Amino acid sequence: KGNKKRKRTEDGEKVSKDQSSSIIQEPPLKTKKARKKERSEAEKKLSERENALEHADEEDQKLFQNKVKQKKKASQAITKSVVNSSTSATAKQQKRRRVADETADRRTVFVGNLPVDCTVQVLTSLFKKYGQIQSIRFRSLIPAEDTVSKKVAAIKHKVHPNAKSVNAYVVFKEECDAQKALKENGTEIASGFHIRVDTASKSSSHDNKRSVFLGNLSYDIRDDAVREHFHVCGDVVGVRVVRDRRTGLGKGFGYVLFENTDAVHLALKLNNSVLMGRKIRVQRVADKRKAQNSPDQSCAPKDRVDKKKKKEKNCSNASFVGEKATPLKKSTKPKRLKTIPRSKAGKNK
């Protein structure tokens, strides 16, 4: 019993000590909570400062990016203005060149079917009576060697032995002089060489109604041979045989221009006639504009065309009447019965 009492007293003392210790320990807990609160306020201030700094950095970055964008836009605008100015300048230069070329072409005269031995002096003596000549250029020259250029071949007169004719351009100082020089078209400058004189400008239109297309020509043919062949039909204004620039040989086709349209009807009768061992083909020159238009697009109005189409359809339906097909009659013969041999019939029974 004494021992039990001692244990109870010891337990009571321990409880009292624990209570006292808990009472003593309560105030430091409160201080900790207060410190935590104080720390949280400081942390809030720090976080606010950090956020403000971050916002300031973001604003600085945005301002920097806006400045960079503005610089890029300004540079692009400058480049565009430079490009536009350069393009406008180039366009103006091209227009000026075109105008200059057109004016120069109006003052130039093309002279074809010249002999190979023709010189500048010969052409000047022929065309100087019409006006002042600015320059003379020879073209369609075939050099004797591939290593020699056409310019050097023209200066040194080193032309291929198979070359038979040469072309030239005569430039006058005034346009009216070039128009006067067209009178020399068809003149015989040498034996077997009737020159062809025409303006170099693109405005000069070729009259297709007075011309004829030639096909299946020999490659070694001359312009005068064609002229002599068609001289029976009428007065020949010009002969043009299309040739290769490198070799000078003909490509097998050409054109003949007459003074009157009546000569074209006579020239068409020479189709399949023999010229230098070949049967040539003679045809009318078709207009490109008419060839581009479809045959359905005629001058008649649409109503007439539609009526014609309807009539054609009705005529086609009425003209064709099909015969009725007679159906085949089925055979009415009775079918043969299958015969069974006696041996099998007896077994079945």
Side-chain angles (χ1 to χ4, degrees), residues 253-300:
F253 63 95
Y255 300 92
V256 179
L257 179 65
F258 297 97
E259 283 189 0
N260 298 318
T261 56
D262 297 332
V264 175
H265 299 287
L266 297 172
L268 293 171
K269 293 179 181 179
L270 294 176
N271 189 20
N272 294 323
S273 61
V274 179
L275 178 61
M276 292 183 68
R278 285 197 176 196
K279 288 184 178 181
I280 61 171
R281 188 172 67 255
V282 184
Q283 294 177 353
R284 289 182 180 274
V285 179
D287 292 331
K288 292 181 180 179
R289 294 176 183 176
K290 290 182 180 180
Q292 287 176 0
N293 295 325
S294 61
D296 294 331
Q297 293 177 353
S298 59
C299 297

Side-chain angles (χ1 to χ4, degrees), residues 13 22 119 219 271 278 327:
E13 289 175 358
S22 65
T119 58
Y219 300 112
N271 189 20
R278 285 197 176 196

Side-chain angles (χ1 to χ4, degrees), residues 44-314:
K44 284 180 182 178
K45 289 179 180 180
L46 288 169
S47 64
E48 287 176 357
R49 287 177 184 176
E50 288 176 355
N51 291 324
L53 291 169
E54 287 178 357
H55 286 299
D57 293 334
E58 288 177 356
E59 288 177 356
D60 292 333
Q61 287 179 358
K62 286 180 180 179
L63 290 170
F64 181 72
Q65 288 177 358
N66 290 325
K67 287 180 181 178
V68 171
K69 287 180 180 179
Q70 288 176 0
K71 286 180 180 179
K72 283 183 179 179
K73 286 180 180 178
S75 63
Q76 287 177 358
I78 291 163
T79 53
K80 283 181 180 179
S81 64
V82 171
V83 170
N84 291 326
S85 62
S86 63
T87 51
S88 63
T90 53
K92 287 179 181 178
Q93 288 177 0
Q94 287 177 358
K95 285 181 180 179
R96 287 174 185 173
R97 287 176 184 174
R98 286 175 185 172
V99 172
D101 292 336
E102 287 177 358
T103 54
D105 290 338
R106 288 173 186 172
R107 292 185 292 106
T108 58
V109 168
F110 173 80
V111 184
N113 196 25
L114 289 169
V116 178
D117 299 331
C118 186
T119 58
V120 177
Q121 289 79 14
V122 175
L123 289 176
T124 51
S125 64
L126 182 64
F127 290 101
K128 69 181 179 181
K129 58 188 175 183
Y130 298 106
Q132 291 182 355
I133 296 169
Q134 188 175 355
S135 64
I136 294 171
R137 303 189 304 271
F138 285 98
R139 292 290 181 269
S140 303
L141 285 166
I142 304 164
E145 297 176 358
D146 295 333
T147 56
V148 180
S149 63
K150 291 183 178 180
K151 189 174 182 180
V152 174
I155 294 165
K156 295 183 178 180
H157 297 284
K158 291 183 178 180
V159 186
H160 199 271
N162 293 330
K164 297 173 184 177
S165 63
V166 177
N167 301 326
Y169 288 95
V170 181
V171 183
F172 290 91
K173 287 186 177 180
E174 293 182 2
E175 185 178 350
C176 60
D177 297 335
Q179 294 295 326
K180 292 176 184 177
L182 297 175
K183 295 177 183 178
E184 295 293 331
N185 186 24
T187 58
E188 191 175 0
I189 195 170
S191 61
F193 288 96
H194 291 80
I195 62 172
R196 180 167 60 90
V197 183
D198 193 5
T199 55
S201 62
K202 295 179 181 178
S203 61
S204 61
S205 60
H206 186 74
D207 192 2
N208 294 322
K209 293 180 180 179
R210 295 187 292 114
S211 60
V212 166
F213 172 80
L214 306 178
N216 196 24
L217 296 172
S218 62
Y219 300 112
D220 297 331
I221 197 166
R222 291 186 180 183
D223 295 349
D224 286 339
V226 178
R227 185 184 289 272
E228 289 176 1
H229 189 72
F230 287 94
H231 185 68
V232 183
C233 302
D235 294 333
V236 178
V237 176
V239 177
R240 184 193 169 198
V241 177
V242 181
R243 301 181 184 277
D244 191 10
R245 292 181 180 178
R246 294 180 181 179
T247 59
L249 296 172
K251 292 185 177 181
F253 63 95
Y255 300 92
V256 179
L257 179 65
F258 297 97
E259 283 189 0
N260 298 318
T261 56
D262 297 332
V264 175
H265 299 287
L266 297 172
L268 293 171
K269 293 179 181 179
L270 294 176
N271 189 20
N272 294 323
S273 61
V274 179
L275 178 61
M276 292 183 68
R278 285 197 176 196
K279 288 184 178 181
I280 61 171
R281 188 172 67 255
V282 184
Q283 294 177 353
R284 289 182 180 274
V285 179
D287 292 331
K288 292 181 180 179
R289 294 176 183 176
K290 290 182 180 180
Q292 287 176 0
N293 295 325
S294 61
D296 294 331
Q297 293 177 353
S298 59
C299 297
K302 292 182 180 180
D303 297 332
R304 293 181 184 177
V305 175
D306 294 333
K307 287 179 181 179
K308 286 180 181 179
K309 287 181 180 179
K310 287 179 181 179
K311 284 180 181 179
E312 286 176 359
K313 286 181 181 179
N314 293 326

